[in-house]
Amino acid sequence: MHVRRALALALVAPLLLAGCSDDPEPKPKMPETSTSTPTDEPTETETPEAESAEEFIRRWVKAGDEMQVTGDTAEYDAMTPKCSPCQAFVDNVSEVYAAGGSAEFAGSTIVSIKQLGKTPPTFNLTKDLPDTVISRPGEAPETLPGGRTTLRVTLGKASGNWVVTHFGIL
């Protein structure tokens, strides 16, 4: 029953400035001819835009959904290094798969993400969940009922990247 509650909790728990000038436009110089071969690589390097907190939360939900159906905990685990409820979810999924079990889960549907506070960044995440079926060798499949749930998610930064520091079911 412990694994069921933890999985249920985790399943429910489970973002060019152009300068203006009055100066006339410079006249372009004709490029010198070159004998080098062109490459397919871009000549300018673009700085990727920083991920917003909301984009991170969407990615976190997706990583949790994928972890449940594949048993691969690496991505979700990296997004939640100091989140106790998150790590309990990782442990429970690992236990199910290590014992030869699996989960049938169609994935979460995010209904809304609402920011509640900026320090620390805190959000209410509402999502719809389908039924989840957990199978273990030698046991009858266990069905966890789906439904709508709201999580309170608190974020932090680690090495300049978003991480989940805590979540709880409201």
Side-chain angles (χ1 to χ4, degrees):
M1 194 62 138
H2 169 70
V3 172
R4 177 182 178 179
R5 274 187 245 153
L7 273 175
L9 170 69
L11 292 172
V12 175
L15 151 287
L16 265 170
L17 294 173
C20 295
S21 170
D22 290 333
D23 295 339
E25 216 175 286
K27 294 182 182 179
K29 289 184 179 180
M30 293 301 289
E32 295 180 19
T33 56
S34 170
T35 57
S36 64
T37 358
T39 65
D40 291 337
E41 296 181 31
T43 55
E44 292 182 37
T45 57
E46 292 184 28
T47 304
E49 289 187 35
E51 180 178 47
S52 72
E54 184 175 323
E55 289 170 336
F56 173 78
I57 290 171
R58 290 179 184 283
R59 193 165 57 85
W60 172 68
V61 169
K62 182 178 178 186
D65 288 357
E66 290 175 3
M67 177 177 69
Q68 290 174 74
V69 297
T70 66
D72 182 359
T73 61
E75 182 178 4
Y76 186 88
D77 187 39
M79 299 169 91
T80 62
K82 296 185 182 201
C83 172
S84 295
C86 303
Q87 290 303 307
F89 182 28
V90 168
D91 292 345
N92 288 319
V93 170
S94 293
E95 288 173 21
V96 168
Y97 280 86
S102 63
E104 292 176 37
F105 177 69
S108 305
T109 301
I110 295 174
V111 175
S112 67
I113 301 173
K114 294 180 182 171
Q115 187 165 8
L116 301 176
K118 292 188 179 204
T119 308
T122 305
F123 298 81
N124 277 354
L125 164 66
T126 302
K127 59 184 185 170
D128 289 336
L129 301 167
D131 289 352
T132 303
V133 178
I134 300 170
S135 300
R136 292 180 194 88
E139 296 181 27
E142 185 176 3
T143 300
L144 305 175
R148 181 166 286 184
T149 190
T150 300
L151 307 176
R152 172 94 20 102
V153 180
T154 305
L155 302 181
K157 289 276 191 163
S159 302
N161 296 314
W162 291 112
V163 293
V164 175
T165 59
H166 185 75
F167 82 85
I169 301 170
L170 298 181

